[in-house]
Amino acid sequence: MNQNVKNDIIKIMRIVILVLSVILILYISLDTFHDRDFLDNHSYMTFQFWVCIVFIFDFFIELFIYDNKWSYIKDRWLFLLISIPFLNILNLTHLHVSHDALYVLRFLPLARGVMALGIVLNYISSNKFIGMFVTYLSVLLLVTYFASIIFFQLEHKINSGLNTYGDAFYWGCTQVTTLGCNIYPVTTIGKVLCCILSGMGIIMFPLFTVYATNMINKYIHKPSTTKS
């Protein structure tokens, strides 16, 4: 198979993954805002199952295309793991798992979408450094949104400081910027999300500082052109 054809197939599959992930985000958001039980939402469970099947199919398509298959498996085995439709398997086998844990499992396939987003953004960017910056920023925003959705779902009925999703998103933004917030988590998963968001903020914001510094230095040292 021609290398250009291989690259085109990979790009198309990653865009498909990205589109399906966006639809999953809409499903999860609407279910959360309307306080619907997703396990009883047959259309969501069916859609998520087929999305996971597409993700698994994509893994093996890329495995077939890549020349060094063992290297691909070592680098992308996590892609396959998070593409497994765990919710559907648990629902079918009736295994007992807490509702909170099930809700968090909904977001596993979206991790595949976030990875695809980063790759697609790097493809469409003409500047590798800018592409990395946009990728980091997009991942940070998406993780903040996912965390705030999970936080709202788990705590809005038991946390007196949480009244609307806007409060949850405000909480997520303050955690990722390490500013602190007057909304305190009361669930274990909520406390874990606090640590994750704060850790991401500590890691990623210095990268943004490096990016800004680099751009300023390029602008300052840019050779000036004079008209003769």
Side-chain angles (χ1 to χ4, degrees):
M1 188 183 297
N2 183 278
Q3 187 61 42
N4 290 332
V5 174
K6 291 181 179 180
N7 292 337
D8 289 340
I9 292 174
I10 292 173
K11 289 178 183 178
I12 290 171
M13 290 302 299
R14 284 170 180 167
I15 291 173
V16 169
I17 288 172
L18 193 56
V19 171
L20 292 176
S21 298
V22 169
I23 299 174
L24 272 181
I25 293 171
L26 292 175
Y27 254 118
I28 292 173
S29 300
L30 290 173
D31 281 353
T32 301
F33 297 151
H34 292 92
D35 201 20
R36 290 196 292 254
D37 189 340
F38 60 91
L39 290 177
D40 293 332
N41 188 342
H42 179 71
S43 62
Y44 170 79
M45 294 295 289
T46 302
F47 179 74
Q48 192 222 222
F49 171 77
W50 286 110
V51 166
C52 289
I53 295 301
V54 172
F55 288 179
I56 293 172
F57 178 73
D58 169 71
F59 175 87
F60 286 104
I61 285 290
E62 292 193 21
L63 177 62
F64 174 76
I65 289 174
Y66 274 77
D67 295 326
N68 192 339
K69 300 187 186 312
W70 179 241
S71 177
Y72 177 84
I73 292 173
K74 287 194 298 182
D75 292 340
R76 306 292 179 89
W77 64 269
L78 184 60
F79 284 25
L80 180 61
L81 180 63
I82 62 179
S83 299
I84 298 173
F86 291 107
L87 278 183
N88 301 86
I89 293 172
L90 290 173
N91 198 35
L92 183 65
T93 57
H94 302 290
L95 293 175
H96 177 69
V97 179
S98 71
H99 190 275
D100 292 351
L102 286 174
Y103 188 81
V104 173
L105 282 175
R106 295 183 80 186
F107 289 83
L108 270 185
L110 291 178
R112 183 72 177 89
V114 172
M115 294 173 186
L117 173 65
I119 295 170
V120 170
L121 288 174
N122 272 315
Y123 273 144
I124 64 178
S125 175
S126 58
N127 183 294
K128 186 175 181 181
F129 193 73
I130 293 176
M132 289 180 61
F133 172 76
V134 174
T135 300
Y136 282 135
L137 182 61
S138 301
V139 169
L140 187 64
L141 291 174
L142 283 173
V143 171
T144 302
Y145 178 72
F146 296 157
S148 63
I149 283 282
I150 295 173
F151 187 72
F152 178 72
Q153 169 67 21
L154 298 181
E155 304 218 359
H156 75 282
K157 293 181 180 178
I158 58 176
N159 192 329
S160 59
L162 199 63
N163 299 312
T164 65
Y165 171 70
D167 295 332
F169 189 69
Y170 168 74
W171 166 86
C173 292
T174 55
Q175 292 301 321
V176 81
T177 54
T178 65
L179 295 175
C181 183
N182 59 351
I183 301 173
Y184 302 100
V186 296
T187 63
T188 300
I189 294 178
K191 294 173 183 177
V192 171
L193 289 174
C194 275
C195 297
I196 292 174
L197 288 178
S198 297
M200 284 193 66
I202 291 171
I203 293 170
M204 287 196 164
F205 277 105
L207 296 176
F208 300 152
T209 303
V210 170
Y211 169 81
T213 304
N214 183 275
M215 294 301 294
I216 292 171
N217 286 334
K218 282 185 176 180
Y219 178 78
I220 292 174
H221 297 99
K222 184 178 180 180
S224 58
T225 57
T226 58
K227 292 183 179 180
S228 56

